[in-house]
Amino acid sequence: MTNTSKNLFNVSRGTVIHGKWKKQTYLVERKIGQGATGTVYLVNGADGEAALKFSQPLSITSEINVLKAFAKVRGSSLGPSLLDADDWENGGSVYSFYVMEYIKGPTLTDFIKARGPSWIGVLLLQLLENLHALHEEGWVFGDLKPDNLIVSGPPFALRCVDVGGTTKIGRSVKEYTEFFDRGYWRAGSRKAEPSYDLFAAAMVAVNLVYPERFLRDGTGSRQLILKVKQKQELRAYAPVLVKALQGEYASAQEMREELLEALGAASHESRKPSSRPSHSVKNNGRTARRRQQKKEKQLFGLASVLGTAVLYVLYILTEVLM
Amino acid sequence: MKQGTIRQILLLTDGCSNNGEDPSAMAVLAREQGITVNVIGIIDEDASNQRGLHEIDQIALSGGGISQTVYATQLSHTVQMVTRQAMTQTLQGVVNEQLKKILHKETDLEALPPDTRGEVMEVVDELGETANLEVLILVDTSASMASKLPTVKEALLDLSLSLNARMGSNLFSLSIFPGKRKETEQLIDWTPTLESLPAVFSKLSPGGLTPTGPAIREAISKFKGKRHKKGWLPTDDEYIEKSV
Ligand SMILES: Nc1ncnc2c1ncn2[C@@H]1O[C@H](COP(=O)(O)OP(=O)(O)OP(=O)(O)O)[C@@H](O)[C@H]1O
Ligand SMILES: [Mg+2]
């Protein structure tokens, strides 16, 4: 791909990044990873190690919004926690960035390469647990793939990074990677709903045993089901993957329970009462609280003139939506 | 109150125009009427064609849109990304415009502190999800495109899948150039889904010149209803007067 999508960030070790607004500084240690649009660096700040991400200002802004929303969920580990968000002025250009918790460990791909495919099932269980929590809060992860999953520990825990695709349930998925996207396989819509993530979760397992991936042949989910059945490594829980690929699970919980059973675990474990309150009830309360916080923040706004102006814009645009 | 509508022309081509008006000039004409022109250049893995690439960027620049050059294999993902990014860009433009009017000075989203920017961005996201969208797809079917048309078809089906997952409504229309007798030919009139696309594509017989400029001019006239001098909001100023 050329121009607009080219990843333009290249910062060398030892560079000091100064935040324009909040005046924090970060010393760049090394590059951790690079995606289609963003680059993530391991940095050292006032509070020690952290991960710093540069990307297009619009992507950065909406990812910060997602991480902020996650931060309001108490005791959550929905994504990496957000530590700072700022702009860096360098050589006449401005670069937007945010700083987050550094999650130490190999990506799921590297982990499985090193330890073997018998880990796929159990880590999938953990992934489904994360997804369940996320869905309960009204979000769909969206851009699920092994590169965006990090195995931290020991004790091993799977963590999701890169909230670039994270979308409120009911909207259209913001960002995806074709191999994991049910739309690409003509196996469903791109509406953000739990079953979207569950399809992708099954494809994560598929990708781990087909590291080279493969292209669609036009037969839809039939092709995927065949691929699943051809791999010995997936045999134990192939029926669970197949159901997920066909959109037959309404919730991550349900898929997790069947996976657990297939993996031969004691079934009472899966009936453990959930410690999380059910979500539909608190959704309204949450938005109301958000609005409240928004108002407070605006009162403390850096420049109150700007703050008021933005309120106008918000008002005008909300009017348009009515 | 009436919903805003975003109007876009999505041009898919593999190279240089060689007939009729300068496509960049026609892209300016579109932009002046509130229609954004996005261009996707499809190139072969082996050859690269500098003049074609330059023209692709120029048209999008003139048409206030986004351009991207890709190999045929990356087409699907690119088509939907470019369309969505262009929508966001348009909406961001609207927001910037409003900020300017209120502050009586040049203020871009980027000039705001990150927290404030985030709040504005939420509104832009919301609008992108709910706004109505009209996309006129303009496909180059000159001889050199023949081998790429199956991929174009898949990419367009993908696009309609993505856009139809939004909450706002969509209207698509498909024209090709060169047409059988005219420079441009409309194959699908405004419709909310692209279901009929595979049937239409199976009947295409690529060949002929590449009249990109005239095709854009023709495309502009296909947009329904009152076109606006600039911007996508029908009554831009009313909102300001009402709220101040
Ligand atoms: N907080 C973090 N801690 C550790 N590693 C991280 C963290 N955030 C990102 N990474 C690593 O860096 C890589 C690139 O980051 P990220 O996925 O956010 O970039 P991107 O440009 O959004 O990529 P994509 O192409 O998926 O959109 C990730 O795949 C992950 O392996
Ligand atoms: Mg990523």
Side-chain angles (χ1 to χ4, degrees):
Chain A
M1 249 180 253
T2 62
N3 59 54
T4 36
S5 87
K6 251 237 178 77
N7 199 323
L8 296 169
F9 307 95
N10 208 345
V11 180
S12 50
R13 183 194 171 92
T15 307
V16 179
I17 292 164
H18 295 271
K20 168 181 165 184
W21 304 91
K22 298 186 191 139
K23 308 288 176 206
Q24 297 290 313
T25 59
Y26 301 95
L27 178 68
V28 174
E29 290 286 336
R30 65 178 165 87
K31 187 186 279 183
I32 305 174
Q34 185 165 354
T37 52
T39 310
V40 179
Y41 293 94
L42 176 66
V43 297
N44 248 305
D47 298 318
E49 267 185 350
L52 185 150
K53 180 168 179 172
F54 288 113
S55 189
Q56 254 89 66
L58 291 186
S59 319
I60 286 288
T61 306
S62 63
E63 286 175 31
I64 291 169
N65 279 347
V66 172
L67 291 174
K68 274 188 183 163
F70 285 1
K72 284 171 195 150
V73 181
R74 271 171 16 113
S76 85
S77 58
L78 293 183
S81 50
L82 180 69
L83 305 174
D84 190 13
D86 215 323
D87 294 331
W88 178 40
E89 287 177 314
N90 183 45
S93 301
V94 181
Y95 303 93
S96 301
F97 67 87
Y98 65 84
V99 182
M100 62 188 141
E101 170 195 359
Y102 170 53
I103 298 172
K104 202 169 180 166
T107 64
L108 182 57
T109 316
D110 291 340
F111 184 89
I112 297 297
K113 245 185 244 160
R115 301 205 171 228
S118 61
W119 282 85
I120 298 175
V122 285
L123 289 174
L124 204 53
L125 279 180
Q126 288 198 356
L127 174 59
L128 291 171
E129 207 171 307
N130 293 351
L131 290 177
H132 181 65
L134 195 70
H135 297 163
E136 292 272 278
E137 293 302 327
W139 297 92
V140 154
F141 188 77
D143 198 4
L144 208 56
K145 57 181 168 186
D147 279 350
N148 287 343
L149 297 169
I150 292 179
V151 187
S152 67
F156 297 119
L158 196 69
R159 299 282 307 270
C160 305
V161 295
D162 189 5
V163 295
T166 305
T167 309
K168 284 187 192 132
I169 288 179
R171 297 192 165 197
S172 54
V173 173
K174 261 191 234 159
E175 223 178 272
Y176 57 85
T177 303
E178 282 183 343
F179 188 78
F180 306 89
D181 164 47
R182 69 177 181 189
Y184 171 81
W185 297 101
R186 305 280 184 258
S189 76
R190 291 203 176 107
K191 243 202 194 334
E193 50 195 23
S195 56
Y196 184 90
D197 275 347
L198 301 180
F199 178 95
M203 288 307 287
V204 165
V206 173
N207 186 199
L208 292 171
V209 296
Y210 291 94
E212 309 292 307
R213 300 184 189 171
F214 45 86
L215 296 173
R216 60 183 168 196
D217 66 6
T219 61
S221 50
R222 282 233 314 277
Q223 179 187 1
L224 299 176
I225 293 166
L226 279 175
K227 290 284 189 190
V228 167
K229 290 187 172 158
Q230 278 162 12
K231 285 287 181 182
Q232 172 67 39
E233 297 96 306
L234 302 178
R235 183 143 308 161
Y237 45 93
V240 177
L241 298 182
V242 168
K243 274 179 84 173
L245 293 174
Q246 291 177 313
E248 285 171 31
Y249 292 116
S251 80
Q253 180 89 7
E254 197 186 329
M255 179 171 168
R256 186 177 180 275
E257 274 168 26
E258 292 195 11
L259 179 61
L260 200 55
E261 214 156 296
L263 290 170
S267 59
H268 61 260
E269 216 268 6
S270 63
R271 295 210 195 89
K272 215 169 42 183
S274 164
S275 55
R276 290 172 174 279
S278 130
H279 80 110
S280 49
V281 198
K282 61 183 170 186
N283 255 354
N284 275 333
R286 253 168 36 83
T287 15
R289 200 164 60 219
R290 251 236 315 270
R291 246 175 244 138
Q292 182 65 36
Q293 272 159 343
K294 204 179 258 182
K295 274 203 198 107
E296 284 167 10
K297 240 185 298 166
Q298 265 157 353
L299 285 179
F300 295 113
L302 255 173
S304 64
V305 190
L306 271 189
T308 324
V310 168
L311 261 181
Y312 272 133
V313 174
L314 289 173
Y315 167 71
I316 292 156
L317 294 169
T318 336
E319 282 284 277
V320 177
L321 288 170
M322 291 301 143
Chain B
M1 205 168 278
K2 212 177 153 282
Q3 272 276 10
T5 299
I6 298 178
R7 297 185 172 85
Q8 294 186 352
I9 291 172
L10 176 67
L11 170 63
L12 293 116
T13 178
D14 70 345
C16 326
S17 62
N18 53 18
N19 190 244
E21 296 101 330
D22 180 346
S24 295
M26 295 303 104
V28 173
L29 190 62
R31 186 188 191 172
E32 286 300 316
Q33 299 174 70
I35 302 166
T36 315
V37 184
N38 300 308
V39 192
I40 294 178
I42 311 163
I43 51 176
D44 294 311
E45 309 271 336
D46 42 5
S48 99
N49 154 352
Q50 282 309 314
R51 190 166 91 80
L53 296 191
H54 182 70
E55 183 177 287
I56 285 158
D57 290 343
Q58 282 305 309
I59 300 172
L61 200 64
S62 311
I66 293 176
S67 66
Q68 187 119 153
T69 315
V70 291
Y71 297 128
T73 48
Q74 298 164 316
L75 193 60
S76 285
H77 199 230
T78 308
V79 165
Q80 69 88 20
M81 272 209 334
V82 162
T83 305
R84 307 276 320 229
Q85 277 169 9
M87 281 176 74
T88 309
Q89 186 173 295
T90 303
L91 293 166
Q92 204 198 347
V94 174
V95 173
N96 283 348
E97 198 94 330
Q98 302 293 350
L99 278 175
K100 221 182 295 173
K101 279 183 186 161
I102 295 161
L103 300 175
H104 301 292
K105 65 172 193 216
E106 202 71 36
T107 309
D108 275 352
L109 216 48
E110 272 88 35
L112 300 172
D115 283 349
T116 318
R117 200 184 302 160
E119 286 163 28
V120 177
M121 189 64 203
E122 262 185 38
V123 179
V124 172
D125 268 356
E126 179 85 27
L127 286 170
E129 186 68 29
T130 54
N132 300 327
L133 180 64
E134 290 174 9
V135 190
L136 189 142
I137 302 156
L138 201 51
V139 180
D140 172 353
T141 52
S142 60
S144 59
M145 285 289 289
S147 65
K148 293 160 193 141
L149 289 179
T151 325
V152 169
K153 181 191 75 185
E154 289 302 322
L156 294 178
L157 289 173
D158 247 51
L159 175 69
S160 104
L161 200 65
S162 268
L163 295 177
N164 285 328
R166 296 184 323 122
M167 296 177 332
S169 76
N170 303 298
L171 281 177
F172 302 96
S173 160
L174 175 78
S175 294
I176 56 160
F177 64 99
K180 271 208 199 75
R181 256 155 286 132
K182 293 180 297 176
E183 282 160 327
T184 318
E185 191 178 337
Q186 187 179 43
L187 294 186
I188 302 177
D189 201 355
W190 294 106
T191 165
T193 61
L194 282 175
E195 275 160 10
S196 54
L197 194 86
V200 168
F201 259 65
S202 66
K203 285 192 223 111
L204 284 184
S205 48
L209 294 172
T210 315
T212 313
I216 297 175
R217 175 169 37 72
E218 191 70 18
I220 298 169
S221 72
K222 291 284 189 284
F223 281 87
K224 290 198 294 198
K226 182 165 75 90
R227 289 191 299 274
H228 318 296
K229 242 179 75 230
K230 207 139 205 178
W232 67 293
L233 289 175
T235 41
D236 242 18
D237 294 320
E238 250 173 50
Y239 299 124
I240 297 287
E241 279 153 23
K242 226 177 55 134
S243 60
V244 175

